[in-house]
Amino acid sequence: MVKSKFKIGQVVSFSTTGAIGSKARSGGIITAIEKMYELKDENKSYYPDGTCMGELTTSKHLSKGKFKGYAYRCKTIQPKGYLPEIVTVEEFKLKEKSC
């Protein structure tokens, strides 16, 4: 992608906004970049307390067509012997990993 902040193959860390995927992960390797769009109102899901589960999608046919940024598919970094998890993370939740 031309204007994406990160590149495929880059190592990134996840911001401390809680769990990424099914567990708390600290970082991963970008495997794909996708465009995010604003979700149509009829396709939104809500928690029992009335808050929206999410307002963005990578599926253009489910969206209003408004481009909102980039989503990154990442393979999480795991200790030896454990399988990585594939997660999709919004750009603002990623930071460049410093060595």
Side-chain angles (χ1 to χ4, degrees):
M1 296 281 155
V2 176
K3 296 182 182 181
S4 59
K5 185 176 177 182
F6 303 101
K7 305 295 178 215
I8 293 175
Q10 187 173 358
V11 178
V12 292
S13 62
F14 305 134
S15 63
T16 57
T17 57
I20 300 290
S22 63
K23 297 194 169 49
R25 306 287 185 216
S26 62
I29 300 168
I30 297 173
T31 59
I33 303 170
E34 300 178 35
K35 289 183 177 182
M36 287 189 306
Y37 302 97
E38 186 177 343
L39 197 58
K40 289 180 185 175
D41 292 333
E42 63 266 16
N43 295 323
K44 291 181 183 179
S45 298
Y46 296 91
Y47 291 110
D49 67 358
T51 58
C52 187
M53 289 184 181
E55 297 186 6
L56 300 173
T57 182
T58 57
S59 300
K60 193 167 186 173
H61 69 280
L62 297 175
S63 73
K64 295 177 182 177
K66 291 184 180 179
F67 173 73
K68 290 294 186 178
Y70 293 100
Y72 297 86
R73 188 172 303 133
C74 300
K75 182 172 72 171
T76 59
I77 299 171
Q78 297 290 90
K80 191 172 183 174
Y82 292 90
L83 293 175
E85 184 179 8
I86 304 296
V87 295
T88 302
V89 185
E90 295 96 339
E91 188 170 61
F92 67 89
K93 292 184 181 178
L94 295 176
K95 294 186 286 187
E96 196 169 338
K97 182 90 170 179
S98 58
C99 297

